[in-house]
Amino acid sequence: MAQKILLIEDDRQTATYIVKGLSEEGMTVDHADNGRDGLFHATDGGYDAIILDRMLPGMDGMAVLGAIRAGGIHTPVLMLSALGAVDDRVAGLTAGSDDYLTKPFAFAELLARLRLMLRRGGAGAQAVTRLGCGDLDMDLLSRKVKRGARAIDLQPREFRLLEYLLRHKEQVVTRTMLLEGVWDYHFDPGTNVIDVHVSRLRRKIDDGEAVPLIHTVRGAGYRLGLDG
């Protein structure tokens, strides 16, 4: 059965872009162009996920989100906004969104985040704001990573890769899982893109540390964990 998505977005061009892309991925999309209609659909629909613009006519996105959560609806919500400062992201996540994506964005990233959110499910997911393993700590709100007292500067793709590994810590993750979960590829493009990024991430995370965290599992993939 096709996944059912509610899009609440007042910008016609952005809405058309998202609806077209998700429909091509086999999803069913309902669209509301203002907050009040969006809230009506959200409380009446039975959606697998909601994509919610923060700035809407009639009733802004934060108010819509608050009403959805106050009504006991745990549908996963991906909030879209041109407001990308840390405080803005924190406000959106604290209000109950499961993820927060700043405009402008690439459709591939929106789709990857949406799929990850759908896999996790919505109930209680918004409470997860930190991930870690041993002395490695990732703050999902501030997007800061530390190993002990050492701050680690990561590029956006490295951050997503590490987040994926941490969400699957102590598990072996295959190349296919990484391609789909981090790069949103559903086929192996025949490049060493994963090896290159894991190698760079490993240098940033493990170099100079007594206990390595990122391990290669020969013939299978990679695993992030305390034991080799």
Side-chain angles (χ1 to χ4, degrees):
M1 182 180 295
Q3 290 171 315
K4 189 176 179 182
I5 309 299
L6 173 61
L7 172 64
I8 310 174
E9 168 63 68
D10 65 315
D11 183 81
R12 182 175 299 177
Q13 184 175 0
T14 301
T16 300
Y17 172 63
I18 294 174
V19 170
K20 181 177 183 294
L22 295 182
S23 298
E24 289 175 349
E25 294 295 324
M27 299 181 187
T28 300
V29 186
D30 290 342
H31 173 228
D33 63 4
N34 65 80
R36 294 189 185 281
D37 286 349
L39 179 59
F40 174 79
H41 283 290
T43 55
D44 191 53
Y47 293 94
D48 295 298
I50 298 170
I51 301 173
L52 173 64
D53 186 34
R54 180 164 176 167
M55 302 180 73
L56 293 166
M59 184 178 190
D60 71 28
M62 293 291 281
V64 172
L65 179 60
I68 289 172
R69 294 303 185 223
I73 298 168
H74 299 294
T75 305
V77 174
L78 171 61
M79 180 166 278
L80 304 178
S81 179
L83 304 174
V86 170
D87 287 348
D88 297 313
R89 296 199 303 270
V90 170
L93 291 165
T94 302
S97 69
D98 297 84
D99 203 350
Y100 191 105
L101 181 61
T102 57
K103 298 179 179 180
F105 55 85
F107 178 76
E109 181 174 5
L110 180 142
L111 183 61
R113 287 172 177 263
L114 180 62
R115 283 183 168 147
L116 178 61
M117 197 172 69
L118 286 165
R119 287 197 295 269
R120 290 199 307 251
Q126 64 271 18
V128 178
T129 61
R130 303 185 87 92
L131 298 170
C133 180
D135 60 351
L136 177 65
D137 178 74
M138 170 179 277
D139 188 323
L140 297 174
L141 299 184
S142 67
R143 299 185 72 80
K144 292 182 179 178
V145 176
K146 288 186 176 182
R147 179 111 195 235
R150 176 171 63 93
I152 300 172
D153 182 29
L154 298 180
Q155 297 299 313
R157 184 75 68 180
E158 293 169 340
F159 188 94
R160 288 176 59 189
L161 175 58
L162 180 59
E163 179 183 354
Y164 189 91
L165 291 170
L166 281 167
R167 289 190 184 278
H168 297 81
K169 67 180 179 180
E170 306 297 350
Q171 302 174 30
V172 176
V173 295
T174 66
R175 288 178 57 87
T176 299
M177 291 169 66
L178 290 172
L179 283 167
E180 292 187 352
V182 180
W183 277 267
D184 196 40
Y185 295 161
H186 300 288
F187 59 95
D188 188 336
T191 71
N192 63 345
V193 62
I194 290 178
D195 301 326
V196 170
H197 278 80
V198 170
S199 178
R200 289 176 181 169
L201 182 63
R202 180 184 273 137
R203 286 197 298 270
K204 292 184 177 184
I205 300 298
D206 286 341
D207 276 7
E209 299 289 343
V211 178
L213 295 178
I214 300 176
H215 311 281
T216 299
V217 181
R218 190 174 298 277
Y222 299 94
R223 185 177 62 81
L224 187 148
L226 290 172
D227 298 321

